[in-house]
Amino acid sequence: MVIDKLRPLGSLVGYFKVFVFAALVMPMSLMAQSQEKKKPNVIIVITDDQGMGDLGCYGNPYIKTPNLDAFYKESVRFTNFHVSTTCAPTRGAIMTGRHTNRLNVFHTITGRSLLFEDEVILPQVLAQNGYTNGMFGKWHLGDNYPYRPEDRGFHEVVRHGGGGITQGPDYWGNDYFDDTYWHNGETQKYKGYCTDVFFSEAMDFIEENKNDPFFCYIATNAPHGPFNLPKKYLDMYKGVDGLKERFQRFYGMITNIDDNFKLLQKKLDELKIADNTILIFMTDNGTAGGHQVFDAGLREGKGSEYEGGHRVPLFIRWPDGQLTGGRDIDKLAAAYDLLPTFVDVLGLDFNPVKPLDGTSLKPLLYEQADNWPNRTLYIDTQRLQNLVKYRKYAVMDDNWRFVNGTELYNMNTDRSQTKNVIDQHPEVVEKLAEGYERWWQSFVDEGVNERYAYIKVGSPQENPSRISAHDMLTGKFNGMWHQYGATRAVQATGRWKIEFVEDGEYKISLCRFPRESGLEINATFPAQEKIVELDGTMPASVKSDFENAYLYVADVEQSAKVEKGQKEVSFTTKVSAGKYDMEAQLIDKDNRVHPAYYVYIEKL
């Protein structure tokens, strides 16, 4: 109870009388509830493009990760844990408990990273069970309503755009330092290095919510490229024999994460909530090149159907839940197992409206899995506009990996997948191949290739909507999805899936550069040292010959000339509520078609 310091004494006496009376008549059941221990907090730290070999605790002789190495020794570790081979798909599986191919999240761009709005996701389940939820860093499941984290159960959000800082949906000109991010849907500038900012904001959220159960999702964009990092972390690896600058930067970004992980643990200790917090460390796919230095005995890396593409660390510590002590679990597990595990361990009220692919890992966590089955799990790398059967896939059970229909590896004797024994075990091949057929048929039965995720415009939740070529459906993946795509003026054609939520008059503005850049459609500028890529430069813009803009949506087909000095070409038109394909193009003097890399749609 908070007492107003200016309240008169007589009034205070009345307050105390009411308080004493309430205490005397409070039912014993309510007294017991008030003393009941609150549900544990949940924190997931997930890094981007860091593989199993990119940690000291797994034998890497170069990398400095002392805090994560110490956490490894205190945790229950899953040693045979699998995610998707790229980032957005893994995040979709974590959030839903379902395989990512069901979710419209089987790519990282081209409209196929927008998580279907009718999926019930983890923060929504937790919110319905009394949790306050915060998300910090990389979302990568949609940048427009209704796909943003603040639309889907998170109460506090600080995030960059798209799949990485500097990608198309991100705020123009971000370079990892002193960037502008979206805070609960509004842009806000932050001071400091990106990873430091995301951890700092997360720790503020934790402190504000320490007295009630919370879910904190810290999803770093590091060590994803571009490999920008504070000088001190680059200097740590300078001069290391056999370590090229790319990997000096990559490892330096990971060491920075490691230092922030230490600060997070220190904050939990200071707040005296570490024991009642489920703290998880994991990564989103295999290493983005680290296997060239140290592979931890795994073949290949990010994007690969081989083990190095999808087997990643998963460390879990929860002292109050007796999950400590440095114990390995070698049973097959996957990212979509996390949601059903939380439901089971936390006792959450949840009735799935769609069948889950995951299963609760609680019996494994508590060594109560005497009859644990030999599961068969599936991964693939799609990265196309539509799902394609037999594309870059692996079928897994405890003993075998059946890869691309032509390779079989015995994981008990050949973890590095060097000896194909497919001719020696036809019965294993038949079983795993049949499993794949059933698995794929389940996607066909759900009609996944016939469904699309529509960006909703004209809604009070987001008006205007800032839409980028990152989410344009196209078969040409040539960089149009990146800020570089606008700078270099790469060519592509395609369409956006747009739902106008209400009849009305709309202003639709076609741009080459986003509004916050202040740049004209035909602006040219030299390479800028500040932004991206390993050499520290953003490519020059040299194209200045756009002459026409073209729009087609609903029954509207219009074009207009691009005037000198113009930043955007706007069309004002009436549109009826409904779902439509939208084409928005910039056309140069030679009649070559480019996307409008940014489109703004505003209901007037």
Side-chain angles (χ1 to χ4, degrees), residues 114 144-145 147 453-457 467 471 497-499:
L114 309 182
N144 294 101
Y145 177 75
Y147 306 105
Y454 283 77
I455 295 170
K456 294 188 175 184
V457 301
I467 300 167
D471 294 326
K497 296 291 184 177
I498 305 293
E499 180 177 358

Side-chain angles (χ1 to χ4, degrees), residues 58-76:
Y58 281 125
N60 188 311
Y62 301 103
I63 201 162
K64 298 176 174 66
T65 53
N67 302 299
L68 287 167
D69 297 346
F71 185 66
Y72 165 88
K73 293 177 181 177
E74 302 166 355
S75 303
V76 174

Side-chain angles (χ1 to χ4, degrees), residues 48-55 60 62-63 85-86 222-225 227 242-251 253-254 283-296 298-304 307-312 534:
D48 194 357
D49 282 3
Q50 179 180 4
M52 188 169 275
D54 302 325
L55 285 165
N60 188 311
Y62 301 103
I63 201 162
T85 67
T86 55
H224 191 290
F227 302 111
L243 211 57
K244 295 179 181 178
E245 184 178 351
R246 180 182 190 276
F247 299 110
Q248 293 170 7
R249 290 174 173 271
F250 184 67
Y251 285 177
M253 295 169 84
I254 293 171
T283 74
D284 69 345
N285 45 246
T287 181
H291 60 292
Q292 298 171 40
V293 179
F294 179 78
D295 63 12
L298 303 178
R299 180 174 171 179
E300 298 190 7
K302 177 180 179 178
S304 172
E307 211 75 354
H310 47 87
R311 186 192 287 221
V312 301
L534 189 55

Side-chain angles (χ1 to χ4, degrees), residues 84-118:
S84 299
T85 67
T86 55
C87 35
T90 291
R91 294 156 205 274
I94 291 169
M95 290 294 153
T96 62
R98 286 162 48 80
H99 192 279
T100 193
N101 287 358
R102 305 187 193 283
L103 312 173
N104 192 57
V105 188
F106 47 82
H107 202 341
T108 57
I109 55 173
T110 189
R112 294 301 197 178
S113 63
L114 309 182
L115 177 61
F116 283 142
E117 64 177 303
D118 61 353

Side-chain angles (χ1 to χ4, degrees), residues 54 66 94 117 132 140 181-182 234 259 309 326 334 375 390 583:
D54 302 325
I94 291 169
E117 64 177 303
T132 302
H140 204 184
Y181 306 123
W182 277 267
L234 178 57
D259 283 350
R375 303 169 73 191
Y390 304 128
E583 296 179 22

Side-chain angles (χ1 to χ4, degrees), residues 252-365:
M253 295 169 84
I254 293 171
T255 299
N256 171 263
I257 293 169
D258 187 78
D259 283 350
N260 275 288
F261 194 82
K262 178 181 180 179
L263 294 176
L264 172 65
Q265 291 184 283
K266 182 179 178 183
K267 173 63 72 172
L268 298 177
D269 289 335
E270 289 173 353
L271 298 175
K272 299 186 178 0
I273 59 173
D275 287 352
N276 198 36
T277 295
I278 301 173
L279 179 57
I280 293 175
F281 174 80
M282 63 178 296
T283 74
D284 69 345
N285 45 246
T287 181
H291 60 292
Q292 298 171 40
V293 179
F294 179 78
D295 63 12
L298 303 178
R299 180 174 171 179
E300 298 190 7
K302 177 180 179 178
S304 172
E305 61 272 39
Y306 296 101
E307 211 75 354
H310 47 87
R311 186 192 287 221
V312 301
L314 177 66
F315 308 156
I316 302 175
R317 189 192 69 184
W318 178 26
D320 281 357
Q322 309 304 311
L323 297 180
T324 58
R327 175 167 58 89
D328 286 338
I329 298 173
D330 62 1
K331 293 295 185 182
L332 200 61
Y336 42 70
D337 293 330
L338 292 178
L339 185 147
T341 300
F342 287 132
V343 169
D344 195 6
V345 169
L346 302 177
L348 303 179
D349 182 15
F350 175 54
N351 294 306
V353 296
K354 297 183 179 182
L356 302 185
D357 292 292
T359 190
S360 172
L361 303 174
K362 183 178 178 181
L364 293 175
L365 288 168

Side-chain angles (χ1 to χ4, degrees), residues 25 63 71 140 160 168 173 179 192 214 305 325 365 428 431 444 457 465 488 493 509 516 521 533 553:
V25 300
I63 201 162
F71 185 66
H140 204 184
H160 63 75
D179 289 341
F214 63 78
E305 61 272 39
L365 288 168
V428 174
K431 172 179 174 288
V444 175
V457 301
S465 297
R488 292 172 169 149
T493 57
S509 301
E516 70 267 14
I521 289 174
E533 296 195 308
V553 64

